Amino acid sequence: MLGAAGQLGREVTDELRRRGTEVLAADRRRADLTDTGATAALAVRFGAAAVYNCAAYTDVDGCESDMQQAMEVNGKAPGRLAAALPAGCRLIHVSTDYVFDGGGRRPYREEEATAPATAYGRSKLGAEQAVTDAGGLVVRTSWVFGPEGRNFVSAIAGRLGRGEPLRVVSDQVGCPTYAPYLARALADLHAVGAAGIVHYCNSPATSWHGFALAIVAALGLNAEVEPIATADLPRPAVRPAFSVLDTGRFESLANRRVEEWASGLDDYFERLGQGKAEV
Ligand SMILES: NC(=O)c1ccc[n+]([C@@H]2O[C@H](COP(=O)([O-])OP(=O)(O)OC[C@H]3O[C@@H](n4cnc5c(N)ncnc54)[C@H](OP(=O)(O)O)[C@@H]3O)[C@@H](O)[C@H]2O)c1
């Protein structure tokens, strides 16, 4: 398990242990993704049947100014590692909706043409082919939030707690994904031997503004959320306007529907002990 200190890495570790799987939870100090030889050797010593890669350079705006690091960590290292793993051990790798340009109008299927508009998206796309060529599994996901990380939900809850006004973009549409649900999906996909690329996110699609309203409601608050346009909030990396992933392949492989993010949101605040109106 690489990236064990990240918001998804923690959940994958917990999920696998709940299933009775022995897990070597390696944070960056224990296993640097870019150090292929040492990381593959660790997997050999541990006798791993799979390596879950939750490590990545996830600063989307930072990637714009440090493309070299983005390409090394996100683009090159995962494929190198997938190829270096011993027989019988494969890489379960996490990718992103940002591999699409966001110009679509219906949910993106796995085989649709990619055209990342950001350095982060280009770097993540860089690894996909090499990982699948080496027999690894690539799971694309979107808008991840988990109780152990810094994410959109923690940012909105933080602003509410400080009494700050909320202005949130309403012209970007996607699917929030609860990290513990994603962890379960990754373990399920590995268990059924899924290969290639699979999309996984929670339902239904919403805008960041819609998601912010749901966060306010989950906390039992009445705060106003002002809808704004992407153009009102210039950032170094231009986020895709539409990044809804089609989860049909996941649903047929796992033989179940994807979870709704609203139940994840309730669980998130329950786990943080922040019931309604306790921010
Ligand atoms: N968050 C989202 O909304 C989202 C959406 C789509 C896809 N994803 C993908 O989901 C995966 C998990 O993301 P996350 O949300 O859990 O991100 P996260 O909380 O930022 O976790 C990433 C972890 O990777 C570690 N890391 C960075 N470079 C490393 C390296 N060279 N070697 C080993 N570890 C390294 C980071 O350590 P440091 O803290 O020390 O840097 C951090 O602990 C990533 O592949 C990401 O691209 C995320």
Side-chain angles (χ1 to χ4, degrees), residues 101-144:
D101 66 7
R105 282 288 162 269
R106 55 185 167 72
Y108 288 103
R109 302 222 312 250
E110 286 82 353
E111 63 277 14
E112 275 181 57
T114 51
T118 61
Y120 170 74
R122 284 193 294 282
S123 72
K124 294 291 289 183
L125 178 63
E128 291 188 349
Q129 183 86 46
V131 170
T132 55
D133 283 353
L137 170 69
V138 170
V139 180
R140 291 188 188 131
T141 190
S142 60
W143 297 21
V144 179

Side-chain angles (χ1 to χ4, degrees), residues 223-266:
E224 293 242 334
V225 185
E226 182 192 342
I228 59 169
T230 300
D232 296 331
L233 194 74
R235 298 171 88 174
V238 181
R239 272 69 174 165
F242 180 88
S243 67
V244 179
L245 300 173
D246 183 310
T247 53
R249 178 153 194 246
F250 169 82
E251 293 184 340
S252 64
L253 282 164
N255 198 24
R256 63 180 174 85
R257 306 297 299 271
V258 297
E259 300 86 343
E260 296 189 359
W261 50 261
S263 60
L265 204 49
D266 289 339

Side-chain angles (χ1 to χ4, degrees), residues 1-2 24 26-28 30-46 48 51 53 77 81 84-86 89 91:
M1 170 60 245
L2 305 178
L24 176 69
D27 62 10
R28 188 208 281 260
R30 187 88 191 266
D32 188 323
L33 175 62
T34 61
D35 190 347
T36 308
T39 304
L42 197 60
V44 171
R45 275 206 305 284
F46 190 67
V51 173
N53 179 31
L81 178 62
L85 291 176
C89 173
L91 193 69

